[in-house]
Amino acid sequence: MAEARQRDISRDRLQVRCLAAQVRYQLAPTDDHRRELALALAQLEEYQQVLDRDLADNVPPFDG
């Protein structure tokens, strides 16, 4: 249960970080904000890979 809570907290932090980067860039599209947004995108892509791996590890093989 604590592990699931920790995952939820990590996911929430990532979502907030990405949303904040997006809003900062929309308000002031500077190079610094563009880089921050690119980092946020990289984190989202990395998280997607983790989710994809977890899904692949937990899906039973197809019997056909």
Side-chain angles (χ1 to χ4, degrees), residues 3 13 19-20 23 34 47 50 56 58 60:
E3 186 177 314
R13 283 183 179 158
L19 180 59
V23 170
R34 187 182 325 272
Y47 186 59
V50 169
N58 294 315

Side-chain angles (χ1 to χ4, degrees), residues 9-60:
I9 290 170
S10 294
R11 185 195 63 234
D12 291 348
R13 283 183 179 158
L14 177 58
Q15 288 175 334
V16 168
R17 189 177 306 124
C18 291
L19 180 59
Q22 181 180 7
V23 170
R24 273 193 285 278
Y25 181 76
Q26 288 173 333
L27 290 173
T30 65
D31 286 341
D32 284 342
H33 291 161
R34 187 182 325 272
R35 280 189 290 276
E36 184 181 4
L37 197 53
L39 287 172
L41 176 59
Q43 288 179 318
L44 285 173
E45 290 171 337
E46 182 179 327
Y47 186 59
Q48 180 64 50
Q49 290 174 358
V50 169
L51 293 175
D52 290 345
R53 264 194 315 271
D54 286 350
L55 179 61
D57 290 344
N58 294 315
V59 173

